[in-house]
């Protein structure tokens, strides 16, 4: 049994900025500020981390958890329409086929390790028909810090595989933050260079392996074998 924990944005899909637009609308509605996401680098950050950063940098407020949750609830009110109408939305190369193959049989258990809150993850993956592949995950609604999200995903995976000792637990993500979080949570990390970071960037960040994308399924499967030993 191999447990694979996928990041979402930049790894499985690109939302074409839908998440940023929905969050901008939430801040506009609740706090009256335009362009909340301008100058904010969201790569590899969790939803609650991004919201906190906007509060601190744009509003000079140290937000309470209740304030962060309120913004994220408002964000969800806008997200579905933004995702459905997003021209730049795409499923990244090879992802659909890889998930189809990996979800057959019982060798792999597929989960998510994402900074998205759970409902946001569902909305973003549903448009591409990918939500159905994932039976569990760790989300930005479980914790605000990425490595704790990974740990939560691992915990849930181990509950599901109680009688089956995994020979690999692997995070698959597109940013150094995914790599660091995986290692801090005690599991391996595979980098995919499908967004801002190159294969070299991801290896330099400590990735156990890195690929340009998941289009070469054979190579991906071989790496999974190699990482298991
Ligand atoms: Mg990502």
């Amino acid at each position: 049994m191999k447990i694979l924990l996928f990041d979402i944005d930049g790894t499985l899909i690109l939302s074409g900025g839908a998440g940023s637009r929905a969050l901008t609308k939430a801040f506009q509605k609740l706090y009256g500020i335009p362009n909340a996401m301008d100058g904010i680098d969201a790569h590899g950050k969790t939803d609650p981390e991004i919201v906190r950063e906007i509060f601190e940098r744009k509003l000079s407020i140290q937000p309470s958890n209740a304030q962060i949750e309120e913004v994220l609830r408002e964000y969800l009110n806008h997200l579905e329409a933004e995702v459905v109408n997003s021209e730049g939305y795409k499923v990244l190369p090879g992802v659909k086929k890889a998930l189809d193959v990996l979800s057959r049989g019982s060798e792999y258990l597929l989960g998510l390790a994402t900074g998205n809150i759970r409902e946001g993850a569902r909305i973003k993956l549903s448009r591409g028909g990918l939500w159905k592949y994932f039976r569990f995950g760790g989300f930005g609604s479980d914790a605000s810090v990425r490595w704790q999200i990974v740990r939560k995903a691992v915990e849930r995976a181990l509950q599901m595989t109680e009688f089956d000792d995994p020979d690999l637990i692997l995070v698959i993500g597109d940013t150094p933050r995914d790599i660091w979080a995986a290692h801090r949570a005690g599991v391996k990390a595979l980098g995919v260079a499908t967004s801002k970071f190159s294969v070299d960037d991801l290896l330099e960040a400590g990735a156990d392996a890195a690929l340009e994308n998941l289009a070469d399924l054979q190579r991906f499967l071989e790496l999974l074998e190699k990482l298991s030993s």
Side-chain angles (χ1 to χ4, degrees), residues 7-11 44 146 174-175 178:
D7 169 59
I8 294 179
D9 296 285
T11 299
R146 194 162 195 112
D174 67 304
T175 73
D178 296 86

Side-chain angles (χ1 to χ4, degrees), residues 42 59 117:
L59 294 161
I117 54 176

Side-chain angles (χ1 to χ4, degrees), residues 15-16 21 82-90 127:
S15 78
R21 289 192 294 276
E82 287 295 342
V83 168
V84 167
N85 296 317
S86 181
E87 282 181 25
Y89 182 97
K90 66 171 177 182
R127 175 172 163 183

Side-chain angles (χ1 to χ4, degrees), residues 82-147:
E82 287 295 342
V83 168
V84 167
N85 296 317
S86 181
E87 282 181 25
Y89 182 97
K90 66 171 177 182
V91 176
L92 285 161
V95 163
K96 187 89 170 67
K97 175 134 189 261
L99 293 176
D100 265 335
V101 169
L102 294 169
S103 62
R104 284 183 214 139
S106 56
E107 188 178 358
Y108 298 96
L109 180 63
L110 306 183
L112 296 164
T114 171
N116 282 280
I117 54 176
R118 191 175 187 284
E119 183 60 8
R122 187 191 67 73
I123 291 169
K124 285 184 181 178
L125 290 180
S126 290
R127 175 172 163 183
L130 304 181
W131 178 245
K132 64 177 182 196
Y133 293 106
F134 301 100
R135 289 162 62 202
F136 71 99
F139 301 92
S141 35
D142 293 314
S144 63
V145 180
R146 194 162 195 112
W147 74 269

